[in-house]
Amino acid sequence: MSHPTPTTSLPLTPTKSPGPAAIAPNTLDQPPSWAPAAPTIALLTALGVLMVGQMYTVLALLHPMATALGTAPEQVTWTATAFGFAYAAGFLLAGPLSDRYGSRAVITTGLVAATAATLAVSAAPDLPTAIALRSLQGLTTATFAPAALSYVVHHIAPQRRGTALTCITSGMFAAAVLLQIGAQAVAAGLGWRAVFWLSAALMALSLIPVRRVLRPTLRHGTGGGLSQAFAAMPRLLGRPRMVALYLSTVALMSSFVAIYTAVAIAGPSGIAGNSSAILALRASALPALVAIPVLARLLQRLAAPLRAVLAFALAALTVAAGSFLGGHTVPLALALLLFVAAVAAAAPAVVETINATAPHARGAAVALYGCSMFIGASLGPQLTGALTGLGFGGILRVVAATLVLGILLALPALRHHRAR
């Protein structure tokens, strides 16, 4: 789940490094010296997997949670939906807060709050309480992604930013796979509540490297980041091409999560009930999430709108093909591999297009992008739940149609780019 995205000005392609005279001390965008790239990228990528992955842990826990909470797996999908909607709302708040108070402060505060909320989820006695606590967890974990990517923009040297952003966003997409695999393994041995205990412990321990590796953002004056970011949002939503890009993001992320939910609760024929086969399907996408960052420089030779359209098309084709593969694990795994690769390529292409479309309001534009991502991620489980009667193949065909809609929504940006 690319999920993942920046909330401030994000030049996704390298820019010229400023000369000594341009690097004035004590300014927001030009710190006295750039932060070390390698430890920063490693820390933020690992935290991205942990924090964004909380959205997806329950997809591997639907059956044990349903048994413990006295409900059906289809009803437990609401814990993913509640998390996603709260995460989307939190994204709109976290971006301006990072602009106003600094990325490290927001990440630190968010980790403390998310630790408490995650522990609370582990104690949920029934489904309504679990849904409410997952909403709180989504709101608190939403502080990480905007602040982390804002930190990259302000503290990593321009020639390293493209690599940093690609690694961190790929980690956020990898979270959808890694945290499902981890949650399935932990739940099998220790029960589903232990998944949240372990997640909370890792969040708390992460505070140590965050304070040691990340630098505080230097600020002077009040800046007005909050009011400026919020004021720009209604203007952006009045631009049809921007709205189309946001809706394409909803289509992309709802498809992404719907596929993984379908694997968990709709079970392709011959694989349903086989935990080893389901685990193999979940893990099959991992090579794609490694390959996309490696191929980032090559992919960036294509214009961002063209990359987005081509990636949507590949995703639609692979899902459509997968719908006819039945319970054959290996071909399905290959289709899922290509699908996840397409999603991981599409997400940064869309955010780069948004950056170029709104150069004077990038913070607000990309905050809305992050919000649309998690609205889509929230709708994915409900899409699958509503279509379970169609079977695994039928769900995949509807998802393929949703991705075709995403292509149509991304086309205006491509036409505008070519005309310009």
Side-chain angles (χ1 to χ4, degrees):
M1 0 193 298
S2 27
H3 102 60
T5 45
T7 58
T8 57
S9 175
L10 291 180
L12 294 182
T13 53
T15 58
K16 291 183 180 180
S17 180
I23 306 180
N26 299 332
T27 62
L28 174 61
D29 293 319
Q30 298 166 333
S33 62
W34 299 113
T40 302
I41 293 171
L43 173 61
L44 295 181
T45 300
L47 270 174
V49 173
L50 175 63
M51 301 297 278
V52 178
Q54 298 306 310
M55 167 77 189
Y56 307 104
T57 52
V58 295
L59 299 183
L61 305 175
L62 295 176
H63 290 284
M65 287 182 70
T67 300
L69 301 177
T71 186
E74 293 81 2
Q75 295 300 313
V76 180
T77 61
W78 281 104
T79 62
T81 297
F83 181 103
F85 277 124
Y87 196 107
F91 226 100
L92 295 180
L93 296 172
L97 286 173
S98 296
D99 288 342
R100 180 66 182 83
Y101 297 107
S103 299
R104 191 178 77 163
V106 172
I107 290 173
T108 301
T109 304
L111 278 170
V112 173
T115 298
T118 303
L119 274 176
V121 174
S122 71
D126 51 46
L127 182 60
T129 304
I131 291 172
L133 291 174
R134 282 281 289 173
S135 298
L136 180 61
Q137 188 192 25
L139 190 64
T140 55
T141 54
T143 56
F144 172 75
L149 292 162
S150 174
Y151 183 90
V152 168
V153 170
H154 293 139
H155 291 277
I156 298 298
Q159 63 269 25
R160 299 289 188 90
R161 282 182 200 156
T163 300
L165 291 170
T166 300
C167 289
I168 294 168
T169 54
S170 294
M172 292 175 186
F173 275 106
V177 180
L178 292 172
L179 266 290
Q180 285 189 72
I181 294 172
Q184 182 175 334
V186 171
L190 300 173
W192 68 269
R193 297 181 192 273
V195 173
F196 296 100
W197 299 338
L198 183 59
S199 295
L202 291 173
M203 289 175 192
L205 290 173
S206 297
L207 287 165
I208 298 171
V210 163
R211 301 299 294 181
R212 290 184 176 179
V213 174
L214 302 187
R215 298 178 177 180
T217 302
L218 300 175
R219 309 202 147 265
H220 292 272
T222 58
L226 287 169
S227 60
Q228 290 176 7
F230 286 123
M233 290 177 185
R235 294 195 297 270
L236 292 170
L237 292 175
R239 298 169 60 178
R241 194 166 64 251
M242 292 294 290
V243 173
L245 286 170
Y246 294 136
L247 290 175
S248 74
T249 303
V250 172
L252 181 72
M253 291 306 298
S254 62
S255 300
F256 180 68
V257 178
I259 292 292
Y260 277 104
T261 308
V263 169
I265 69 173
S269 175
I271 296 176
N274 185 337
S275 59
S276 298
I278 291 175
L279 182 63
L281 276 181
R282 287 175 175 147
S284 66
L286 288 175
L289 295 166
V290 174
I292 292 302
V294 172
L295 297 173
R297 289 183 179 273
L298 179 63
L299 292 172
Q300 287 176 356
R301 294 180 182 178
L302 297 174
L306 178 59
R307 253 186 293 141
V309 170
L310 292 176
F312 268 100
L314 175 60
L317 285 172
T318 55
V319 171
S323 70
F324 297 103
L325 294 176
H328 302 287
T329 306
V330 174
L332 271 176
L334 179 59
L336 191 59
L337 171 74
L338 294 174
F339 167 68
V340 171
V343 172
V350 172
V351 76
E352 189 173 344
T353 303
I354 288 171
N355 267 324
T357 305
H360 303 297
R362 285 176 174 169
V366 185
L368 288 170
Y369 165 78
C371 179
S372 65
M373 283 190 72
F374 278 87
I375 288 175
S378 304
L379 294 174
Q382 301 312 312
L383 176 63
T384 296
L387 298 173
T388 50
L390 299 179
F392 186 73
I395 293 170
L396 264 60
R397 285 187 279 276
V398 173
V399 169
T402 303
L403 290 164
V404 170
L405 176 61
I407 296 172
L408 297 177
L409 290 166
L411 281 175
L414 177 58
R415 287 195 295 265
H416 176 76
H417 173 79
R418 288 181 170 176
R420 188 176 58 180

